[in-house]
């Protein structure tokens, strides 16, 4: 693998009905596989259509599994404090079998406090609930008895519990993910410290990666995904892309970064929100300045907060894979998808898997692959 694996991410936010959003997402995942993306990640959000359009990621990914054969199918993220962790583990295990063991499980404590009350939960307790639910989730996936009982999930989840990734904004969060041997999910943008409001995104994220790597158990593989906002267009659509970007980036700059955006132009909005939008040359140039990518194993691209049409999103996927990725050294194609498929395995397990077929460990690995 020459560089980070190329991934696609969606929050399902097109200006369309729910049914159309789901159709668009499935068509985009199909296009991502055709173009050589290694992974497709879907977000989970409850209540309302403005922040995210999908409360049930496993249902959508099951439909995607039927339409694809190679691309990794992933959650980014499952809001684990809200979901019943046992039911989530069962659904994930079924999806993994249906998809041919292509599932990756991104989880987090949840960034929308207003969603918790309807589930009878206190958002102030979401980190404590997350820790408890993550323990149950991991036990269930590992085939251990759930909550001190002898109950074990069916179907058996195989090594799916080793394919968990944790999302975080913080160094401490990176350390916690590393200590468990999980993958690390980094956001497309995040608030800057008051003392360094103009800091590049990698100034915040490289210390998280360093803490994560330092905390990994001996022999545990490094798995770091950097999410980025990116819309790549043909030159004739550049003006339209910037027009579609302005309102969403203005809202993002105001809400996440606390920026007074009344007099801020589109170029500054793009910079403030860590957005990569424009022609192939422009997106290659802006991504080349992002030092996080060199420390990542995966990078996923979403069009949001740009109000891109379905057609522009499909074209952006093509341009990202066919023109941007080669110039940045990003990994695409069947080899990248296969690399993600085994990314959770330790060096010792991978070495055993390449041994002669008579080796018993090899036989187990081939059965679960």
């Amino acid at each position: 693998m020459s560089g980070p694996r190329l991934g696609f991410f969606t929050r399902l936010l097109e200006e369309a009905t729910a049914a159309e959003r789901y159709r668009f997402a499935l068509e985009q995942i199909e296009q991502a596989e055709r173009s050589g993306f290694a992974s497709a990640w879907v977000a989970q959000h409850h209540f309302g259509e403005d922040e995210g359009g999908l409360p049930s990621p496993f249902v959508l990914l099951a439909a995607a599994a039927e339409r694809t054969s190679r691309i990794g199918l992933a959650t980014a993220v499952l809001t684990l404090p809200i979901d019943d962790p046992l039911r989530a583990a069962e659904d994930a295990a079924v999806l993994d079998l249906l998809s041919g063991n292509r599932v990756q499980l991104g989880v987090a404590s949840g960034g929308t406090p207003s969603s918790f009350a309807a589930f009878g939960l206190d958002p102030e307790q979401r980190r404590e609930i997350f820790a408890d639910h993550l323990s149950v989730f991991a036990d269930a996936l590992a085939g251990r008895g759930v909550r001190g009982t002898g109950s074990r999930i069916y179907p058996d989840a195989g090594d799916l519990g080793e394919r968990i990734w944790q999302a975080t904004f913080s160094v401490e969060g990176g350390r916690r993910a590393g200590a468990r041997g999980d993958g690390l999910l980094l956001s497309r943008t995040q608030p800057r410290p008051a003392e360094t409001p103009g800091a590049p995104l990698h100034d915040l994220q490289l210390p998280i990666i360093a803490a994560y790597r330092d905390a990994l158990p001996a022999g545990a593989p490094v798995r770091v995904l950097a999410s980025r906002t990116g819309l790549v267009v043909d030159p004739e659509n550049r003006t339209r892309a910037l027009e579609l970007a302005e309102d969403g980036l203005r809202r993002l700059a105001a809400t996440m970064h606390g920026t007074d955006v009344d007099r801020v132009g589109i170029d500054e909005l793009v910079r403030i929100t860590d957005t990569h939008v424009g022609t192939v040359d422009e997106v290659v140039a802006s991504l080349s300045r992002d030092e996080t990518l060199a420390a990542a194993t995966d990078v996923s691209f979403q069009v949001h907060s740009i109000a891109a049409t379905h057609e522009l999103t499909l074209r952006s996927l093509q341009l990202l894979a066919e023109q941007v990725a080669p110039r940045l050294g990003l990994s695409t194609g069947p080899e990248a998808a296969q690399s993600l498929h085994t990314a959770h395995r330790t060096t010792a397990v991978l070495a055993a898997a390449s041994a002669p077929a008579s080796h018993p460990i090899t036989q187990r690995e081939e059965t679960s692959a």
Side-chain angles (χ1 to χ4, degrees):
M1 189 178 76
S2 60
R5 292 173 288 256
L6 181 64
F8 166 62
F9 174 71
T10 179
R11 291 171 61 193
L12 292 83
L13 284 174
E14 287 84 2
E15 291 291 333
T17 66
E20 289 173 318
R21 285 181 173 186
Y22 301 150
R23 176 173 64 83
F24 291 163
L26 292 171
E27 291 176 359
Q28 289 162 13
I29 292 170
E30 287 182 280
Q31 179 61 61
E33 177 166 276
R34 284 194 298 271
S35 294
F37 282 66
S39 58
W41 303 74
V42 298
Q44 179 188 46
H45 290 90
H46 297 279
F47 311 117
E49 61 188 32
D50 294 331
E51 188 168 353
L54 183 64
S56 303
F58 292 129
V59 176
L60 184 94
L61 290 176
E66 285 295 296
R67 294 171 175 235
T68 59
S69 61
R70 182 179 65 242
I71 194 168
L73 303 173
T75 60
V77 292
L78 194 67
T79 309
L80 207 52
I82 287 178
D83 276 17
D84 181 292
L86 176 54
R87 288 291 297 116
E90 291 176 326
D91 287 347
V94 171
L95 173 62
D96 199 43
L97 289 181
L98 290 173
S99 67
N101 307 114
R102 288 187 280 146
V103 173
Q104 304 287 329
L105 295 168
V107 300
S109 60
T112 310
S114 61
S115 295
F116 282 69
F119 287 91
L121 300 169
D122 179 358
E124 295 301 318
Q125 299 298 313
R126 64 185 182 274
R127 290 178 178 82
E128 292 82 359
I129 301 170
F130 174 74
D132 175 65
H133 282 198
L134 180 59
S135 177
V136 173
F137 189 60
D139 281 346
L141 291 172
R144 294 188 285 268
V146 178
R147 293 190 172 104
T149 73
S151 298
R152 291 169 172 79
I153 66 168
Y154 179 88
D156 182 277
D159 66 1
L160 180 55
E162 298 171 26
R163 287 177 259 153
I164 294 174
W165 305 63
Q166 292 193 48
T168 186
F169 277 161
S170 71
V171 168
E172 182 53 39
R175 190 174 293 115
R176 285 194 298 268
R180 273 187 37 87
D182 293 339
L184 176 67
L185 297 176
L186 298 173
S187 178
R188 62 189 173 130
T189 188
Q190 61 187 84
R192 298 324 196 249
E195 62 274 16
T196 55
L201 183 58
H202 57 249
D203 277 5
L204 281 67
Q205 294 190 333
L206 289 175
I208 300 174
I209 297 173
Y212 164 78
R213 295 179 69 114
D214 287 346
L216 280 171
V222 175
R223 293 178 293 143
V224 177
L225 181 143
S227 180
R228 293 296 183 261
T229 300
L231 178 65
V232 191
V233 294
D234 296 300
E236 62 269 23
N237 286 321
R238 181 181 184 275
T239 299
R240 186 183 181 203
L242 293 175
E243 291 172 349
L244 291 169
E246 184 163 359
D247 287 347
L249 298 188
R250 197 171 294 280
R251 287 192 298 271
L252 180 62
T255 56
M256 176 167 280
H257 299 279
T259 303
D260 183 354
V261 296
D262 288 345
R263 299 181 181 178
V264 176
I266 184 61
D267 290 342
E268 182 65 4
L269 288 172
V270 166
R271 186 193 68 79
I272 292 170
T273 59
D274 306 296
T275 297
H276 306 277
V277 56
T279 64
V280 168
D281 287 344
E282 289 172 319
V283 171
V284 167
S286 61
L287 285 170
S288 296
R289 296 189 290 270
D290 187 343
E291 297 178 18
T292 298
L293 301 192
T297 60
D298 298 81
V299 56
S300 68
F301 289 95
Q302 61 176 298
V303 297
H304 320 297
S305 295
I306 301 170
T309 65
H310 177 50
E311 291 73 23
L312 282 178
T313 299
L314 292 175
R315 179 57 177 156
S316 182
L317 291 171
Q318 293 176 311
L319 292 171
L320 276 166
E322 296 167 10
Q323 299 191 39
V324 173
R327 291 174 60 178
L328 293 174
L330 303 181
S331 295
T332 60
E335 297 82 5
Q338 179 59 29
S339 172
L340 177 62
H341 190 74
T342 58
H344 60 286
R345 299 181 184 173
T346 64
T347 302
V349 169
L350 288 171
S354 64
S358 60
H359 194 291
I361 296 180
T362 302
Q363 292 174 345
R364 286 201 300 273
E365 287 302 312
E366 290 177 346
T367 300
S368 64

